Amino acid sequence: PYEIFIDKGFSEDIVKRPGLNSLLSSLNSYDTVLCTDLSIISGSGFDLGLILRILKRKSVDLVVMNKILCSNT
């Protein structure tokens, strides 16, 4: 089973993205996050780094189109 998280509108501020925050809080170890483009996850390098650290801490992988970013290694 999978779940889709959506943020209406666009905001680069991670705090103002309830869909992203719901996604991050619902993750369990060995889950995988799939997105079409890194800009969907984050518009800034700082926030992307923060998100990747959260995923790594939770042992969650991030798959972006044809790229696989293993956050648990």
Side-chain angles (χ1 to χ4, degrees):
Y2 63 89
E3 198 168 344
I4 297 174
F5 296 87
I6 299 173
D7 278 317
K8 301 266 185 198
F10 180 80
S11 172
E12 289 191 20
D13 187 350
I14 192 172
V15 176
K16 296 179 182 176
R17 298 194 51 203
L20 177 61
N21 289 311
S22 292
L23 165 70
L24 294 174
S25 65
S26 72
L27 293 170
N28 296 306
S29 293
Y30 308 109
D31 280 347
T32 299
V33 174
L34 173 66
C35 71
T36 57
D37 191 286
L38 277 179
S39 66
I40 301 297
I41 296 289
S42 175
S44 79
F46 177 80
D47 284 348
L48 180 58
L50 175 63
I51 292 165
L52 291 176
R53 285 191 298 278
I54 292 168
L55 297 179
K56 183 176 182 176
R57 186 174 60 236
K58 292 186 172 207
S59 298
V60 171
D61 287 334
L62 174 61
V63 177
V64 182
M65 294 281 287
N66 293 329
K67 300 176 186 175
I68 299 175
L69 303 174
C70 293
S71 56
N72 60 3
T73 57

